[in-house]
Amino acid sequence: MEVLKNKKTLQDFIERQREMGKKIGFAPTMGALHDGHLSLYEAARAENDLVISSIFVNPTQFNNPEDLKKYPRDTNRDISILQKSGLVDAVYIPEVHDIYPEKAESSHYDFDGLENEMEGKSRPGHFDGVGTVVEELFNQVKPDNAYFGEKDYQQLAIIKKMVDKKHLPIKIKGVDIYRAKNGLALSSRNQRLTEERREDSKVIYETLIKVNEWFRVVSISEIKNKVKDIFDDQKGMQLEYFLIADENTLKETDFFYKDKSYRAFIVVMVDGVRLIDNMHLD
Ligand code: PAF
């Protein structure tokens, strides 16, 4: 596996691969790799000649400086996970100036309102930061296909929107949420929880399963009350938000309409760690 530590080495590498006509699959990450990332690489492996990943903790997408400081970083561990997986041909690990040559600042994006829902309300500026770094990485890596986990469903929708609006020649592929045995969605943040709290947090997934059972059976306001009751009974967990949204516009809905598809979204604080999850309702 090639470890590409700056923009120049990446560009030389990409040029060589393009000359050989290789189809490139790309999965950007912020490191702290886990099995959820490996599932992105597996999806990329199946559809491309070459799989590239990146590790870059993007400062512009953290609205909370404490969160940026606490973000787990261990590049040697990540490289060794990638090497052992055998799924990735090259990893790009840029420095801040390779991505932001002048100032680490976001550009402003209009994602047709997707950016104003859910995480956009809780984390102002977050999606401008994501758009900025992903667009720059796309420009540098020039992938044919790019892979993102559905755990960050709103991020996936926003990246699809950006590619669409800017007519970038890249296909965006969503990959199913990868869950631990107990159902907890895998996230780099889970490392900050004790084993016991990770076990307790399975209630998030279990709640989503129940919501899916209640879907179109009881009203949304009733579902919301039931979810609130579940988390009122959980010690040390605070429900930040739970809502059901139109899967395409991501706008919260109070009623189920016949021809629309819906998804439930949830954010819970567990011992100060913000866990997010979602589920398509059917
Ligand atoms: O999902 C992530 O890890 C990040 O938001 C991404 C897409 C790598 C951009 O920094």
Side-chain angles (χ1 to χ4, degrees), residues 28-30 37 56 58 61 71 130 133-134 148 152 155 159:
T29 81
M30 298 206 297
H37 294 108
F56 180 66
N58 173 35
Q61 72 188 74
Y71 203 84
V130 170
V133 74
V134 171
F148 295 86
D152 298 298
Q155 166 174 283
I159 291 165

Side-chain angles (χ1 to χ4, degrees), residues 249-277:
T249 61
L250 302 185
K251 281 201 186 315
E252 180 171 11
T253 186
D254 291 325
F255 301 100
F256 294 127
Y257 295 91
K258 248 194 176 167
D259 305 326
K260 297 206 162 159
S261 52
Y262 295 100
R263 194 169 273 263
F265 294 86
I266 189 164
V267 177
V268 181
M269 292 294 285
V270 181
D271 287 351
V273 181
R274 194 168 182 274
L275 301 180
I276 80 172
D277 204 343

